[in-house]
Amino acid sequence: MKTAYDAIVIGARCAGSPTAMLLARKGHRVLVVDRATFPSDTVSTHVLHPLAGASLARWGLLDRLIATGCPLIHSYDFDFGPFTISGKPGTAAAALAYCPRRTVLDKLLVDAAAEAGAEVREGFVVDEILAEDGRVTGVRGHSRSGSPVTEQAAVVIGADGRHSLVAGAVQAAQYNEKPPLLCGYYSYWSELPMDGRFETYIRRLRGFAAAPTHDGLTLVIAGWPAAEFEEVRKHVEQSYLSAIDLAPAFAERLRAAKRQAPFAGATVPNFFRKPYGPGWALVGDAGYNRDFITAQGILDAFADAETCAGALDQAFTGARPFDDVMDEYQRARDERVAAMYEFTCQLATLEPPPPELQQLLAAIHGHQPAMDAFVRMNAGTISPAEFFAPENVGAMMAGARAGR
Ligand SMILES: Cc1cc2nc3c(=O)[nH]c(=O)nc-3n(C[C@H](O)[C@H](O)[C@H](O)COP(=O)(O)OP(=O)(O)OC[C@H]3O[C@@H](n4cnc5c(N)ncnc54)[C@H](O)[C@@H]3O)c2cc1C
């Protein structure tokens, strides 16, 4: 059946706009819709690790982000109390991290999708996923002016976040689920200089992190076990300041700063969903959601956009069958994130690190190559599987001993 569009993408933020952009750049007919209009914010902090910056660079968008005045982040500090592990998060080719406001980043991505030739409809709500004989065929929705509209496509792509309408409509199989583990609240502070550092403080059942963002502001997020969410939300400011008081030197810096925004917070479940089926696909949080403690979501959304758009391009051009390329997409995603998912879920409990990790961290503290490796692992630049491989742990311990 000839449809008006090859793909309709629902959701135009970190996963949806790049997917639409990459498909449109390949010459496919793409409609991308979002109930939001842009620029607009969303409940999310926004550390962009170096490999996410590398995606933007590949797409020709990193210079645009830098031109918005987004501060550069050259090092990450993990303060465990007795010692701090400091290192470089990236590689020679992609050295820097960023922390762009979502108002800026998402707008830049939406504009890039439109520039590539995708039709963008902002303020458009999808109410229903249409299907015939078990195959998704399109969407029914409405714009802000009201009247219902039906659109058809060969594939409907859910880039519609963790509460995905598409995933619900097709009953996408969910696997390797874990309940919410962490809850977090964040705000923005002026007069809290970070000098290019992303700082994380890990204390027993508490943690917080700070990163410089647009407009001279610093993002500070604090976290608690999810079981405390109801209690924390009753006294957000008090809970936030008490968590930060666990690191007195940072608390002093914060007291000298001024809070410039209300607190926003969330707690999220952890899951994978099968990301494709007849006439549909999922990218970003719609297909895979993990706790935000390791700040992997945008990086993962960009990776999905690239892999899924590449797969769909092969299907649309008839080079390979849809099921084959989408099966590869699912496998590549699951393999890429498997070790990071487990590491993230472990961290999100805010329980003290397992004894072996504590010993390793204490040993590598002060030894720069090993500290860089730890930081790169947390940034998603190398996989935890690679970092924790026995031969790598052995080499780091030997290097640290030799260094002493
Ligand atoms: C508290 C918190 C902190 C985080 N911190 C970080 C961090 O520091 N770094 C990081 O990389 N990630 C972080 N994340 C994760 C990150 O926010 C997500 O991974 C990322 O936003 C996923 O992008 P997405 O495009 O898949 O979905 P979303 O950003 O959720 O976008 C989905 C879009 O779909 C639209 N939509 C949904 N349903 C419909 C519909 N029916 N019709 C029309 N439009 C629809 C929505 O309006 C929305 O704009 C954090 C998340 C949270 C909750």
Side-chain angles (χ1 to χ4, degrees):
M1 183 180 69
K2 185 75 184 155
T3 54
Y5 300 102
D6 297 309
I8 296 174
V9 184
I10 307 174
R13 292 191 187 269
C14 302
S17 279
T19 305
M21 173 190 77
L22 294 170
L23 286 171
R25 283 183 182 176
K26 294 273 190 194
H28 303 298
R29 299 158 306 156
V30 183
L31 169 65
V32 52
V33 303
D34 201 303
R35 67 157 70 93
T37 56
F38 297 91
S40 60
D41 215 344
T42 179
V43 176
S44 168
T45 62
H46 33 79
V47 172
L48 207 66
H49 294 303
L51 290 189
S55 296
L56 290 178
R58 255 192 322 280
W59 302 338
L61 303 177
L62 184 59
D63 289 345
R64 290 189 199 178
L65 178 67
I66 293 170
T68 64
C70 188
L72 312 177
I73 298 175
H74 52 71
S75 58
Y76 293 7
D77 292 354
F78 291 88
D79 180 321
F80 290 92
F83 55 83
T84 299
I85 304 275
S86 301
K88 307 269 176 236
T91 60
L96 299 172
Y98 307 84
C99 185
R101 290 298 295 261
R102 293 290 297 262
T103 44
V104 175
L105 176 68
D106 295 0
K107 169 73 176 149
L108 188 152
L109 296 171
V110 171
D111 288 350
E115 229 176 84
E119 181 183 336
V120 179
R121 285 189 211 162
E122 301 181 24
F124 185 93
V125 182
V126 174
D127 300 305
E128 194 186 344
I129 306 300
L130 304 175
E132 270 170 41
D133 301 329
R135 175 178 194 83
V136 170
T137 55
V139 302
R140 184 170 295 125
H142 66 276
S143 63
R144 287 191 175 169
S145 56
S147 45
V149 179
T150 296
E151 299 291 0
Q152 292 186 317
V155 175
V156 171
I157 303 174
D160 46 352
R162 61 185 185 272
H163 304 295
S164 172
L165 179 74
V166 178
V170 301
Q171 298 186 319
Q174 206 156 292
Y175 52 99
N176 203 356
E177 297 158 76
K178 300 182 204 283
L181 299 165
L182 177 83
C183 66
Y185 273 94
Y186 64 92
S187 186
Y188 296 91
W189 299 75
S190 59
E191 296 164 54
L192 182 52
M194 297 300 293
D195 301 323
R197 286 187 325 276
F198 170 42
E199 298 178 15
T200 297
Y201 295 80
I202 301 102
R203 299 293 184 268
R204 196 180 149 66
L205 300 181
R206 301 287 181 267
F208 67 90
T213 185
H214 283 98
D215 304 319
L217 296 178
T218 292
L219 162 72
V220 182
I221 180 165
W224 304 261
E228 295 185 41
F229 192 34
E230 287 312 315
E231 215 33 54
V232 168
R233 76 198 302 186
K234 282 188 210 148
H235 317 280
V236 174
E237 183 168 21
Q238 189 190 327
S239 307
Y240 181 92
L241 295 175
S242 315
I244 288 167
D245 278 343
L246 296 172
F250 188 89
E252 201 174 310
R253 282 161 64 197
L254 192 88
R255 304 262 189 237
K258 288 196 180 71
R259 184 157 65 83
Q260 300 292 354
F263 289 103
T267 181
V268 304
N270 303 279
F271 59 76
F272 290 76
R273 290 186 182 129
K274 183 175 184 209
Y276 73 96
W280 61 272
L282 301 175
V283 288
D285 283 4
Y288 162 54
N289 198 63
R290 83 316 291 137
D291 193 88
F292 43 85
I293 195 161
T294 46
Q296 299 292 306
I298 301 171
L299 174 66
D300 289 337
F302 287 179
D304 274 7
E306 223 155 32
T307 319
C308 183
L312 287 174
D313 176 53
Q314 293 192 57
F316 290 156
T317 55
R320 295 185 53 209
F322 176 85
D323 281 350
D324 290 7
V325 290
M326 295 305 280
D327 180 57
E328 278 176 19
Y329 160 55
Q330 178 177 9
R331 285 170 195 272
R333 179 197 69 179
D334 290 5
E335 247 177 70
R336 190 182 67 76
V337 303
M340 181 52 97
Y341 182 66
E342 297 305 326
F343 179 69
T344 298
C345 291
Q346 161 65 35
L347 275 191
T349 63
L350 295 177
E351 292 289 346
E356 323 80 70
L357 179 56
Q358 289 189 34
Q359 276 169 19
L360 176 65
L361 293 176
I364 68 173
H365 155 238
H367 182 58
Q368 199 56 55
M371 292 201 298
D372 284 343
F374 177 75
V375 165
R376 283 203 299 272
M377 186 261 293
N378 278 273
T381 306
I382 59 171
S383 165
E386 189 184 327
F387 180 81
F388 289 113
E391 57 281 12
N392 191 48
V393 170
M396 285 189 294
M397 296 291 266
R401 273 195 300 274
R404 298 217 156 82

